[in-house]
Amino acid sequence: GDVGLWIDFVDLFFSDEPEIQPHFEQTMALMLQKPWVKQDRLPILRSDLTGIGKSFYFETFAAIINGSMKGAPVDHRPNHGLVTSAQNLDNNFNGVIANKSLVVFNEIGEKGERHTNLLKDLVTSHTITVNEKYMKPYTTKTYALYCITTNENYTHQLDATSRRELVYAIPGYSPLSTKLRDFWADSSELKSWINTPEARSALLYYYLNMDLDGYDGTQVAPTGKSKLDMAEALENTMDHYIKNELLDLQYIVPKLEYELFIKNYPYEKYSPTFFARKIKQYGFVNGPWDVTRGQMHFSPTDTWPDKINLRPTVLINRAIFFNDKYNKDALLNFLIARYFKPKKF
């Protein structure tokens, strides 16, 4: 059958970050083609707005699995696709999410470790311990793909390097959100077609024949703009400031660090040369040394994780900024522990 109506929706829906679209599509296709493969993926769709297609996208796959309208179970068929709320993530009785191929949690948003730990276990574990009322707990294999929709800026604690989360966000009140609103106002044909047996059959055929050559759902999920924005929404003020400093910082300045160190610890017998050597010894070996300036450049090849390792240096280089807002002695002690007492630290 013709799936052009669906493809038009998907192309429009992911148009703000088109490079992420194939990752979502291939993740869902692999779930249908090889439901026995446990993917280390957590697809997340986020937007401030409702009614633009977040749930529609995932619910369509639940409908394909269940052979029913929008993922609702059919009495005489196994219910292998589940669309539910966050309460079934937190609920001690988790029998409802056992033996599923797809579980969609709608409207999750929790800035903390509670959901983080629960989701990590669900996404990565190949077994699940099932607890149901009046029954003895038992452990069984699980192959489920877990997905999330949310109106919050975040779903759980994560950073830009998190390996599991595949994130796409529709900017609120943006040109794309306007286009999607207009699309849904004039999409009666798609709405009437999507809930027919013909649509479910055509979509199943389409995804079963999608080329997945080279795709591996157990590898690290890509980091795009949406994922970076979600990670930024979870940063505290200091982390956010440090990140912005790292983006523009071109030098490591041991001379300035030495001056700050001597000012606060005048009785320590460390020379500038000793201090600079220690800095190079404990991790700052990527960039060329500028003898004239007494500075070391970042290497052009330094990655974001490389620069994260420079956090204590950035803190001290910007000690004047922190002087009124944070405990400078604590930051200096952190520097000392980082460079001079690494084993103890």
Side-chain angles (χ1 to χ4, degrees):
D2 183 7
V3 295
L5 292 171
W6 172 257
I7 292 175
D8 288 344
F9 159 69
V10 172
D11 287 345
L12 175 61
F13 184 77
F14 287 101
S15 61
D16 195 63
E17 205 171 337
E19 64 275 13
I20 291 295
Q21 177 178 336
H23 293 280
F24 271 87
E25 290 284 84
Q26 290 173 326
T27 296
M28 308 310 286
L30 181 60
M31 173 198 63
L32 294 172
Q33 290 186 23
K34 298 180 179 180
W36 58 88
V37 172
K38 176 64 174 174
Q39 300 188 67
D40 291 340
R41 284 285 166 90
L42 179 63
I44 300 171
L45 293 177
R46 193 205 77 78
S47 179
D48 298 334
L49 305 177
T50 59
I52 59 173
K54 302 191 305 293
S55 297
F56 179 79
Y57 181 78
F58 288 142
E59 287 174 355
T60 297
F61 290 97
I64 294 171
I65 293 169
N66 292 333
S68 56
M69 293 179 63
K70 295 204 72 175
V74 176
D75 291 341
H76 65 282
R77 299 185 184 185
N79 178 18
H80 291 296
L82 174 67
V83 180
T84 184
S85 65
Q87 71 177 21
N88 280 324
L89 176 65
D90 295 325
N91 196 344
N92 291 329
F93 298 107
N94 61 351
V96 69
I97 66 173
N99 302 314
K100 298 293 185 291
S101 298
L102 172 69
V103 178
V104 181
F105 294 114
N106 280 327
E107 304 310 332
I108 286 182
E110 193 258 340
K111 188 177 182 179
E113 295 299 325
R114 184 166 53 101
H115 282 172
T116 304
N117 294 332
L118 288 168
L119 288 166
K120 180 180 179 181
D121 187 55
L122 287 174
V123 172
T124 61
S125 179
H126 288 253
T127 61
I128 184 172
T129 300
V130 183
N131 294 291
E132 295 185 278
K133 283 186 177 180
Y134 313 119
M135 293 182 63
K136 185 178 180 179
Y138 65 93
T139 300
T140 184
K141 289 185 178 180
T142 179
Y143 305 95
L145 176 69
Y146 297 94
C147 304
I148 291 176
T149 69
T150 186
N151 292 335
E152 302 289 340
N153 288 330
Y154 46 77
T155 56
H156 61 289
Q157 200 71 34
L158 74 153
D159 58 44
T161 60
S162 294
R163 59 169 285 115
R164 296 173 298 278
E165 291 82 2
L166 176 63
V167 185
Y168 176 65
I170 305 291
Y173 303 102
S174 63
L176 176 56
S177 64
T178 302
K179 289 179 182 178
L180 284 168
R181 285 285 174 84
D182 293 341
F183 174 86
W184 285 112
D186 188 33
S187 60
S188 57
E189 189 177 0
L190 173 61
K191 291 177 181 177
S192 60
W193 173 79
I194 201 71
N195 285 318
T196 64
E198 292 77 15
R200 294 190 293 272
S201 178
L203 286 170
L204 178 60
Y205 182 85
Y206 172 72
Y207 282 103
L208 287 180
N209 287 277
M210 181 173 284
D211 183 9
L212 298 181
D213 185 39
Y215 173 72
D216 185 348
T218 66
Q219 296 301 307
V220 177
T223 297
K225 177 181 179 298
S226 297
K227 189 171 179 177
L228 290 172
D229 288 345
M230 185 173 286
E232 185 173 302
L234 290 156
E235 291 176 348
N236 59 44
T237 303
M238 183 183 284
D239 283 339
H240 184 65
Y241 177 82
I242 292 168
K243 187 185 80 171
N244 289 333
E245 288 293 323
L246 285 172
L247 291 175
D248 298 324
L249 200 62
Q250 300 300 317
Y251 295 100
I252 303 164
V253 194
K255 185 179 293 185
L256 173 60
E257 291 177 351
Y258 174 75
E259 291 170 356
L260 289 168
F261 183 85
I262 292 299
K263 179 181 177 181
N264 287 273
Y265 301 92
Y267 302 106
E268 300 288 348
K269 304 298 183 183
Y270 294 131
S271 68
T273 303
F274 173 84
F275 194 81
R277 187 172 70 249
K278 280 291 184 181
I279 286 176
K280 294 187 73 174
Q281 181 180 345
Y282 292 114
F284 296 93
V285 295
N286 291 324
W289 184 255
D290 186 335
V291 177
T292 304
R293 293 175 177 268
Q295 297 175 340
M296 191 181 336
H297 291 266
F298 283 130
S299 167
T301 59
D302 280 347
T303 64
W304 175 248
D306 291 332
K307 289 192 174 186
I308 285 294
N309 291 329
L310 304 175
R311 176 173 293 185
T313 301
V314 176
L315 287 172
I316 301 305
N317 285 345
R318 301 297 185 259
I320 295 173
F321 172 86
F322 290 113
N323 191 32
D324 296 329
K325 296 188 176 183
Y326 302 102
N327 185 334
K328 188 169 67 175
D329 285 340
L331 298 175
L332 286 165
N333 286 331
F334 181 67
L335 178 73
I336 294 165
R338 172 71 167 85
Y339 293 126
F340 297 98
K341 302 174 184 176
K343 292 182 179 179
K344 182 178 179 182
F345 180 70

